[in-house]
Amino acid sequence: MRQFVTIAELGSYRRAAEALHIAQPALSVSIQKLEHSVGVLLLERGAKGVSLTPAGAALMADARRALFHADQARQSARRVALGEQGRLRLGFVGSATYMLLPRCLPEFRRRYPDVELELREDSTVRLAEMLRANDLDAGLVRGPLAEDPSLSAWVVERDSLILALPAGHALAGRPVALAEVRAEPFVMYAPGKVPGLHGVAQALCRKAGFSPRISQEAIQVQTLVSLVASGLGVALVPGVTRAYSTPHVAFADLADAEARDVLALSLVSHRDTSCAPVLKLRDTMLASGAAIPNQY
């Protein structure tokens, strides 16, 4: 079809052969095969060059459309393989919406506007389950997952733990040693749903010399902050939580060195994933300078 269209447009077998970078005899044989396949004469040689027969003119419009759609199909296949087109099913924990996603997704969408994003918020445990069930292509999770040879992970954001206090608390407004709030009730992460953050918070309290007295458990960081605002206790939250400050909660830096850069937000996907947009998203996030600076 491409050879047929080129000959018709240039009006010459010789010029068409030069443009297509093939030998003229081979081009003539190719057109003969096309005419045999169609069953009619498509091109006529004349004193003024090559012209279309009525049948050839009828074929010309469809041939151009066929070539256009073939080119589109090739481009789509290449773009999907390169991660520039297709679908990306991305799960995320709530705290990823504070800084990481607002910083990285606009750039990702600018670079790859033809990648369709399907976003789903859930807990780290549920996101890991959906990844293993192939219901997600990638997930943004807190804390390390259990060793799983089927998954790969890349740390895309580091953060420190800070202390959320009810507004007006006596310790608000200055760095706080965690041991200073050992007598306070704690709003804590549910261990079955948020094992990573729960384990880090508990370990930090133990290093400070006490076991926290838990008044309430929750799954989402936003919920912990709301419970602190309601006067149910204090909470250890990621530093990015400052981005969603409320007049009912004060955030204090922790003087404990162990609290610094203790948190990791990781992009997790299937090992050797066939979803190329995952790798494009990973590169975008790693290039964004996602580490959260210390507040000290």
Side-chain angles (χ1 to χ4, degrees):
M1 285 293 187
R2 191 175 302 280
Q3 293 167 355
F4 163 73
V5 169
T6 303
I7 294 170
E9 289 177 342
L10 296 179
S12 165
Y13 274 82
R14 180 182 57 79
R15 289 199 295 271
E18 291 172 352
L20 294 167
H21 304 290
I22 60 176
Q24 185 173 334
L27 182 58
S28 297
V29 171
S30 182
I31 294 303
Q32 289 171 6
K33 289 181 178 179
L34 176 61
E35 290 176 327
H36 178 75
S37 174
V38 177
V40 294
L41 188 67
L42 300 173
L43 295 168
E44 286 183 322
R45 282 186 169 97
K48 295 183 178 179
V50 179
S51 61
L52 290 167
T53 66
L59 178 63
M60 189 68 170
D62 285 331
R64 283 176 170 149
R65 279 194 291 269
L67 291 174
F68 171 78
H69 290 299
D71 286 339
Q72 289 292 103
R74 278 193 292 270
Q75 290 177 25
S76 293
R78 290 192 191 103
R79 296 187 71 198
V80 168
L82 293 171
E84 298 172 355
Q85 184 175 318
R87 181 178 63 153
L88 173 56
R89 300 170 298 167
L90 177 65
F92 60 92
V93 293
S95 57
T97 64
Y98 292 161
M99 292 187 71
L100 181 66
L101 290 180
R103 179 170 55 242
C104 297
L105 283 193
E107 177 63 13
F108 179 78
R109 294 182 68 85
R110 184 189 68 80
R111 291 184 184 180
Y112 311 107
D114 294 324
V115 173
E116 177 187 357
L117 278 173
E118 293 183 12
L119 301 177
R120 178 165 181 177
E121 180 183 0
D122 218 312
S123 67
T124 290
V125 170
R126 280 288 300 134
L127 293 177
E129 291 173 354
M130 285 188 281
L131 271 170
R132 294 184 180 107
N134 203 32
D135 293 328
L136 290 175
D137 299 307
L140 289 164
V141 302
R142 283 280 181 198
L145 294 175
E147 186 66 27
D148 188 333
S150 69
L151 300 178
S152 293
W154 304 274
V155 175
V156 292
E157 181 180 271
R158 292 198 178 277
D159 200 358
S160 301
L161 276 176
I162 61 174
L163 189 65
L165 302 156
H169 194 284
L171 296 177
R174 65 172 178 84
V176 176
L178 193 52
E180 294 182 76
V181 292
R182 63 188 308 152
E184 300 276 355
F186 273 74
V187 181
M188 188 60 70
Y189 305 96
K193 298 290 186 180
V194 198
L197 278 174
H198 176 87
V200 170
Q202 288 279 6
L204 196 58
C205 290
R206 286 195 296 271
K207 287 180 181 178
F210 69 99
S211 180
R213 178 167 56 90
I214 300 172
S215 64
Q216 186 66 45
E217 291 182 344
I219 298 174
Q220 300 292 346
V221 174
Q222 302 97 310
T223 307
L224 266 74
V225 173
S226 295
L227 293 175
V228 170
S230 300
L232 295 183
V234 301
L236 293 169
V237 297
V240 291
T241 312
R242 295 178 188 271
Y244 281 78
S245 60
T246 163
H248 305 293
V249 175
F251 295 104
D253 297 319
L254 286 171
D256 307 67
E258 295 83 0
R260 301 179 188 179
D261 295 328
V262 72
L263 299 181
L265 189 61
S266 297
L267 179 68
V268 180
S269 182
H270 305 283
R271 191 175 297 277
D272 301 323
T273 178
S274 61
C275 181
V278 169
L279 304 181
K280 298 296 186 184
L281 179 63
R282 176 202 64 186
D283 294 343
T284 301
M285 289 182 167
L286 292 177
S288 73
I292 304 302
N294 290 330
Q295 302 293 329
Y296 317 103

